[in-house]
Amino acid sequence: MLTGLVGTTIAPWQFFYLQAGFVEKKVGPRQYPQARFDVLFGSVTCMMIVFFIIVCTAATLHATGRRDITDAAQAAQALIPLAGKGAGVLFAFGLLMLALCGLHSAAVHRARDLRGLGFEAGLDRKFKEAPIFYWLYTVLIVAGAGVVLLPHAPLWKILIFSQVGNGIWLPVVVIFILLLVNRRDLMGEYVNTTTFNVVAWSPPSP
């Protein structure tokens, strides 16, 4: 569970998604200060949102004795009598956007390697310019939805073990990233600073 908590807080796909986003935006050295601020601001506000999610959960579901929730659908339904129908719809919509825009997009962005095979890739391309990329995106969405819709699928176990997998792969991804960003021959003047190295090498707190 500890590994899963770390994996769901700092997932490896987040690094791929962030990197791919900067590549597609064609962020150059002149935009690096703004890009760094964007990442720092996003990291802080993200944790603030997580904090208030925990507080709101404690003030509604836990305070009313709802301790039997085992999946997202039950959580959305439980919010309706406490905070209105809109809260349940908003909760479900947020999960949908995370699944469609975040996770699958991050996975498909690894398909940038398709360019090495002569195929175009990236969300900055139109469908006719990168059909393989977009078809792969579609297949991943359909496959993910298919697994969720399977009768009696062990969704709770799938949720837990997917995050455990993230937690296991996280050190591998982070270590290689840190090794690369500390190479002056590769990064030049943009090599990682001591402060960022201390923060990056510190153990995460779930």
Side-chain angles (χ1 to χ4, degrees), residues 53-136:
I53 288 175
I54 295 172
V55 171
C56 292
T57 302
T60 54
L61 303 182
H62 185 80
T64 55
R66 289 301 304 270
R67 300 178 179 87
D68 57 339
I69 296 173
T70 58
D71 58 42
Q74 292 180 3
Q77 290 294 329
L79 285 172
I80 294 176
L82 301 171
K85 185 177 181 180
V89 173
L90 184 62
F91 183 85
F93 181 76
L95 291 179
L96 178 64
M97 289 299 99
L98 174 63
L100 291 179
C101 303
L103 302 180
H104 288 98
S105 179
V108 174
H109 272 99
R110 291 303 86 212
R112 280 186 173 280
D113 297 333
L114 289 171
R115 289 179 174 175
L117 301 175
F119 300 104
E120 284 295 334
L123 294 174
D124 56 339
R125 297 286 188 265
K126 296 180 180 179
F127 187 90
K128 63 181 181 180
E129 295 175 332
I132 301 298
F133 175 82
Y134 281 103
W135 275 118
L136 182 57

Side-chain angles (χ1 to χ4, degrees), residues 18-40:
L18 184 65
Q19 172 266 335
F22 283 135
V23 171
E24 289 190 351
K25 294 174 185 175
K26 297 179 174 60
V27 175
R30 292 180 61 184
Q31 290 83 38
Y32 284 172
Q34 293 90 338
R36 173 175 287 186
F37 175 80
D38 183 34
V39 174
L40 293 175

